[in-house]
Amino acid sequence: MIEVSGLSKRYGNFTAVHDLSFTVGPGEVLGLVGPNGAGKTTSLRCLAGIIPATTGTCRIAGHDITTDPVAAKRALAFFPDEPRLFEYLTVRQHLAFVARIYGVEDHEALAEPLLVELEIADKADQLPGELSRGMKQKLAIACGLLHSPQVMFFDEPLTGLDPLGIRRMKDSILKRAHAGATIVLSSHLLHLLEEVCSHVLILKQGEKIADGTLADVSARFSNGEANVSLEEIFLRATGGSDT
Amino acid sequence: MISALLYLRLTSLQNLVLSRVRRLRQPKYLVGAIVGAAYFYFIVFRRTVHVGRVAAAGAPVVALPTDLLPTLIALGAVILLVIAALSWILPDERAGLTFTEAEIAFLFPAPVRRRTLIYYKLLNSQVAILFTAGIFTLFSLRAPSLIGGNALIHVAGIWLILATLNLHFMGASFVITRLMDNGITPWRRRLIILGLIVVVAGVTLGWLWRDLRAPQAADLADFHSVAGYVNTLLANGPLPWLLLPAKLVLGPYFAQDAATFLAALGPALLVFAAHFLWVVRFEVSFEDASIAKSEKRAARVAAVREGNWRAARGAMKARPGPFRLASTGRPELAFLWKNLLSTFPIFRPRTLVIGAVLIIAGYRWVVHDPAYRHMIPIFTVFAFIVAGYVLFLGPQLARQDLRSDLANSDILKTYPLHGWQVVLGEMLTPIAILSGVLWLVLLTLLLTFHSPALTWLTPAVRFTVAAGLVPILPLVCALQLLVPNAAALLFPAWVQTVRNRSERGIEVIGQRIIFMAGQLLVVALALLPAALGAGLLVFATQWLIGPVAALALAAVAVLVILAAEVGCGLWWLGQRFEAFDLSSELRP
């Protein structure tokens, strides 16, 4: 469960995110969309406790990310657009390190099926430098999933993946959502978001333009037309800005 | 076409200079530039000017006797010959001219002749060679009369040496590539070249054996006698012919005045021109190797920018963990485990044990052999030097902490840890490494530091001080490491620049000096309360409880004060880490 209320982030005179409020329930997948510079990544980074919000509150699984960050972070996983890995740790050593940080008991039993699911079991003793970008991303995801987070934030999770990788990533996200995880993801690939997201939130210049279920947002911007794509909704909502 | 490449080079250089000048508008660079300039003035220029004035005033200055010059040139030629030989033996890759990724993207698909690319590369390398020649001359001018000549002669001479060497390396790599294309493996080539060297060396030695005598006591009587003997040695048999090209190249550098310089310049330029023709006329494909080289270089630069020195040094290999990391327990230890993996495998607990055993065994051996017992004070002095080096420079060298992981701060901040836990965890590796070295130094001093003059330094006092220092030293290291880690969080943009070895310039040198001075000052201030407290305690209590107990009490007091300071520092840095946003800190 994610509850965001009046969240703003300012850098000096520049407001990156302004008065953002929304809620995402268990099993829901919220797609965060907006033109370049809309504040998607900044919002995700505030929600994940990476950067402090200037004002507003954000509760992750019932814990305030500002006042109780350790409990909130224990319940979440953040997946950046570029996999951030330690170049000197092998795949297996990454999982051992993350297990110790999160206190995941008997992590080997959890790690093995995860590596098999993500198809990197045969790379377990390799360093990130020996992995392709897609493999690195899978390793970052394995590290994030090891502690079975209730809340997940994906920043452009499909970047750099091949078609099969994109399909697997979508399946993986949906599997976690069906298992009750709360998921927020940002992406420019709107047609793919349509397949994964139950809800959508459109940002422009740091402000929320619209949010709700895909059907709600479609209804608001479809002008009575049927079968309007998310891409068309996006263009109408943002006034035709590029994605 | 060459004009377009010249334009690229000159415009890039101009933009580089302009951007360096423009960034002086930022205080961190301006202050760095002022300090860097002051450093150069006081350490290099002032001394150079002083030496120049002394020379101008006709005051006696240390000069190398002119009769030694031929020996010096011959020895220089031998060194050049060895360097040239190594350029034929060492390489195991095809010739790859070093281009940037942008140069490859723009120039390789462009309608540019292969030879033009070589011209461009040669032109490019001249900037670095001239800069090196200038710096080298600047430092050598501190003692100008040693080899005679003047600044212009030295710059031109060094440029000629380096430029010819550069051409020789390039030409050798082209030939090596041709040999590899013809199926001659690097090892076969090495064997052939080593065989040739053995033949030449054999002939030369045979010649010398026939014509020369072994050195007599008179030949080793003084510097001039040794030089005379060496000169005779190098002037016999085929050696003068072998060394001739290198001697010709060295000639202008060792010229005493303009006339001798001009006389030496002609033959040197002939050698240079021969190399130039060799390189530009030798048809060999360098494109594939250049692309591979450029990719490697880009990866290395990216690794350096992320603070990953291990990756920057070359291909990394997976290694077993330094110790078994259980799934549960203090999370800070996970950082120690991780960061120890990022550094040399020698930094392991077993190294400490082996080191201690070696020190004790070595001491026992030395102390039981009267022939070597006089060496004990040397070990004491050496231990003090190592201690000083580790205490002053250690925190700058052992950087497996936040400074190296700053680029990963986004991920570190998602961990369910308090800020102080992340900071402590990150600092554990350099603390462990520096403490380990200091403990070995302490053991050496405990065993070797005796002085009849210091009657109060009884074995009991020595042991108490050493035992007290064992837990104190890690805290001192932690205190020292708090400063650069605080700097990384407080001035990330500055630290990013300083830790990035690809950043150059007088302002970056100045920034590094400021950091070093700041660290020493802060640590000195932080140690002051503990030192004062310990001093007062020893002074006040030794009359009552004796010096040993007083020292033990003082050690406890120091421990408490330092632990409190480190604890406060960690807590404060943790707060800072939690509020830290690298992306906003690096905004221009």
Side-chain angles (χ1 to χ4, degrees):
Chain A
M1 181 77 162
I2 304 168
E3 299 154 280
V4 181
S5 173
L7 184 118
S8 295
K9 178 67 185 176
R10 282 190 287 277
Y11 294 103
N13 295 326
F14 172 71
T15 302
V17 181
H18 178 64
D19 198 23
L20 190 62
S21 300
F22 64 90
T23 303
V24 192
E28 291 179 355
V29 181
L30 174 75
L32 205 56
V33 295
N36 290 331
K40 301 186 293 293
T41 298
T42 304
S43 301
L44 284 180
R45 284 154 57 86
C46 285
L47 300 181
I50 294 169
I51 52 174
T54 311
T55 57
T57 59
C58 168
R59 297 178 73 80
I60 304 290
H63 307 285
D64 191 305
I65 194 77
T66 310
T67 57
D68 192 5
V70 174
K73 287 175 182 177
R74 203 170 285 285
L76 70 83
F78 176 77
F79 303 94
D81 51 348
E82 272 295 319
R84 293 264 179 210
L85 300 167
F86 302 107
E87 290 298 319
Y88 38 84
L89 299 189
T90 64
V91 170
R92 206 186 295 280
Q93 287 169 338
H94 267 93
L95 293 170
F97 172 69
V98 171
R100 177 67 172 244
I101 294 290
Y102 285 87
V104 181
E105 285 186 35
D106 192 20
H107 79 273
E108 285 96 346
L110 292 167
E112 284 310 318
L114 204 54
L115 293 177
V116 171
E117 181 195 333
L118 293 166
E119 299 169 319
I120 47 172
D122 59 331
K123 314 278 184 197
D125 294 315
Q126 292 188 5
L127 293 169
E130 301 166 276
L131 304 176
S132 66
R133 193 198 179 283
M135 291 287 178
K136 286 181 186 171
Q137 193 147 355
K138 285 176 178 180
L139 170 56
I141 289 167
C143 290
L145 295 179
L146 190 67
H147 67 287
S148 309
Q150 297 164 259
V151 173
M152 296 177 213
F153 298 104
F154 291 89
D155 189 6
E156 299 286 354
L158 308 174
T159 308
L161 294 183
D162 60 18
L164 186 63
I166 290 174
R167 169 52 55 199
R168 294 253 161 80
M169 176 64 84
K170 283 193 297 185
D171 290 346
S172 187
I173 291 170
L174 285 171
K175 183 179 157 189
R176 260 84 199 176
H178 291 150
T182 306
I183 296 171
V184 178
L185 60 93
S186 81
S187 179
H188 287 310
L189 305 173
L190 299 176
H191 59 290
L192 295 169
L193 284 184
E194 265 182 306
E195 296 175 35
V196 180
C197 297
S198 57
H199 293 67
V200 67
L201 190 154
I202 302 175
L203 278 174
K204 186 182 179 185
Q205 291 175 347
E207 295 200 33
K208 183 171 77 175
I209 303 282
D211 75 327
T213 64
L214 276 171
D216 289 343
V217 177
S218 290
R220 187 172 156 193
F221 292 97
S222 63
N223 301 330
E225 297 169 41
N227 298 325
V228 181
S229 67
L230 182 58
E231 185 181 10
E232 188 55 40
I233 291 168
F234 175 84
L235 291 173
R236 288 179 189 179
T238 57
S241 308
D242 68 325
T243 59
Chain B
M1 184 53 72
I2 196 72
S3 61
L5 297 177
L6 199 63
Y7 169 80
L8 172 65
R9 191 62 254 159
L10 291 176
T11 314
S12 301
L13 192 66
Q14 182 190 349
N15 288 343
L16 176 74
V17 172
L18 280 176
S19 70
R20 287 280 169 85
V21 172
R22 273 196 211 110
R23 76 181 185 180
L24 291 179
R25 283 184 293 203
Q26 297 178 53
K28 66 182 180 193
Y29 288 113
L30 182 63
V31 175
I34 291 168
V35 173
Y39 168 78
F40 268 100
Y41 174 74
F42 287 110
I43 303 298
V44 184
F45 289 106
R46 201 170 72 148
R47 166 83 182 141
T48 305
V49 170
H50 172 72
V51 170
R53 279 182 189 155
V54 168
V61 285
V62 183
L64 201 70
T66 48
D67 61 321
L68 290 182
L69 266 184
T71 316
L72 212 57
I73 294 174
L75 286 175
V78 171
I79 292 170
L80 280 189
L81 204 64
V82 170
I83 293 172
L86 289 176
S87 72
W88 290 88
I89 296 169
L90 294 181
D92 54 3
E93 291 175 347
R94 288 166 194 280
L97 301 184
T98 311
F99 289 94
T100 64
E101 288 198 309
E103 284 169 341
I104 284 178
F106 280 95
L107 300 182
F108 278 32
V112 180
R113 284 189 309 146
R114 180 190 156 281
R115 191 174 289 182
T116 313
L117 284 177
I118 296 177
Y119 289 150
Y120 173 69
K121 241 8 270 175
L122 289 175
L123 194 71
N124 245 354
S125 56
Q126 298 320 304
V127 178
I129 290 174
L130 268 175
F131 183 76
T132 309
I135 292 289
F136 196 84
T137 305
L138 207 54
F139 280 94
S140 71
L141 280 179
R142 294 177 64 176
S145 56
L146 262 182
I147 55 167
N150 58 44
L152 270 177
I153 287 177
H154 287 168
V155 170
I158 295 171
W159 171 81
L160 203 58
I161 295 167
L162 296 178
T164 310
L165 266 182
N166 182 43
L167 283 171
H168 191 87
F169 293 155
M170 213 181 268
S173 72
F174 285 175
V175 176
I176 288 168
T177 303
R178 171 73 60 81
L179 293 174
M180 287 168 90
D181 289 343
N182 291 335
I184 295 174
T185 61
W187 278 110
R188 204 170 144 202
R189 182 230 320 150
R190 282 170 189 149
L191 280 176
I192 295 169
I193 292 168
L194 282 172
L196 277 173
I197 290 173
V198 168
V199 169
V200 172
V203 170
T204 311
L205 282 173
W207 208 297
L208 293 177
W209 189 263
R210 199 192 63 186
D211 288 355
L212 281 177
R213 55 183 172 74
Q216 309 293 313
D219 295 322
L220 307 173
D222 58 26
F223 194 67
H224 285 272
S225 309
V226 174
Y229 182 78
V230 171
N231 216 16
T232 319
L233 203 71
L234 295 174
N236 255 282
L239 264 179
W241 296 103
L242 274 174
L243 298 176
L244 182 63
K247 275 184 180 175
L248 294 180
V249 173
L250 288 170
Y253 177 71
F254 286 98
Q256 301 294 299
D257 48 43
T260 47
F261 174 79
L262 287 174
L265 190 61
L269 282 176
L270 268 179
V271 180
F272 177 84
H275 273 86
F276 179 77
L277 288 174
W278 170 32
V279 167
V280 295
R281 286 180 182 274
F282 201 91
E283 286 292 332
V284 69
S285 166
F286 58 79
E287 289 81 356
D288 286 341
S290 290
I291 291 170
K293 210 170 177 179
S294 129
E295 283 169 355
K296 268 189 198 168
R297 187 166 170 263
R300 217 162 37 236
V301 169
V304 167
R305 286 193 174 142
E306 288 183 6
N308 187 355
W309 301 109
R310 218 186 118 195
R313 284 196 295 270
M316 287 191 296
K317 286 182 182 165
R319 287 203 301 243
F323 53 85
R324 194 185 163 274
L325 185 69
S327 293
T328 51
R330 295 296 311 179
E332 296 88 345
L333 286 179
F335 288 94
L336 173 66
W337 180 85
K338 171 183 86 67
N339 290 342
L340 276 175
L341 267 168
S342 75
T343 184
F344 299 104
I346 195 173
F347 297 122
R348 297 288 184 270
R350 65 172 178 272
T351 310
L352 198 60
V353 177
I354 294 169
V357 168
L358 286 176
I359 287 168
I360 292 168
Y363 173 73
R364 289 183 67 84
W365 178 62
V366 169
V367 88
H368 282 110
D369 192 333
Y372 296 110
R373 206 173 292 160
H374 67 279
M375 290 172 67
I376 290 176
I378 298 173
F379 293 120
T380 311
V381 171
F382 180 72
F384 272 119
I385 290 171
V386 173
Y389 188 76
V390 171
L391 285 170
F392 283 105
L393 293 177
Q396 302 299 329
L397 300 174
R399 307 162 65 91
Q400 301 80 8
D401 48 28
L402 267 182
R403 288 169 287 176
S404 294
D405 250 351
L406 214 57
N408 289 322
S409 60
D410 276 12
I411 290 301
L412 301 180
K413 291 186 78 178
T414 63
Y415 293 155
L417 304 173
H418 295 287
W420 67 265
Q421 288 180 291
V422 176
V423 176
L424 172 62
E426 287 283 8
M427 280 173 39
L428 280 179
T429 299
I431 290 175
I433 292 172
L434 298 178
S435 301
V437 178
L438 287 173
W439 281 338
L440 291 178
V441 168
L442 191 62
L443 178 64
T444 310
L445 289 175
L446 177 67
L447 294 171
T448 63
F449 189 39
H450 310 273
S451 174
L454 304 173
T455 50
W456 55 270
L457 197 62
T458 61
V461 167
R462 281 197 350 247
F463 183 79
T464 310
V465 171
L469 282 173
V470 168
I472 287 173
L473 286 175
L475 288 173
V476 173
C477 294
L479 205 59
Q480 286 182 301
L481 287 159
L482 278 172
V483 181
N485 279 282
L489 290 174
L490 292 171
F491 314 107
W494 191 324
V495 173
Q496 290 286 87
T497 312
V498 172
R499 80 196 179 101
N500 187 349
R501 286 184 198 175
S502 60
E503 281 279 355
R504 294 193 180 97
I506 199 169
E507 59 274 36
V508 178
I509 293 172
Q511 287 176 343
R512 290 188 177 127
I513 293 169
I514 292 170
F515 261 115
M516 184 75 97
Q519 173 162 334
L520 288 177
L521 183 69
V522 172
V523 170
L525 287 176
L527 287 175
L528 201 59
L532 282 176
L536 283 173
L537 260 177
V538 170
F539 180 75
T541 60
Q542 64 166 325
W543 316 107
L544 296 169
I545 57 176
V548 173
L551 282 169
L553 196 64
V556 172
V558 170
L559 204 62
V560 170
I561 294 170
L562 290 185
E565 286 180 348
V566 171
C568 289
L570 281 174
W571 178 82
W572 179 76
L573 267 189
Q575 298 284 310
R576 174 65 200 166
F577 179 75
E578 285 169 12
F580 179 69
D581 179 3
L582 186 63
S583 57
S584 75
E585 299 283 358
L586 295 184
R587 270 163 196 261

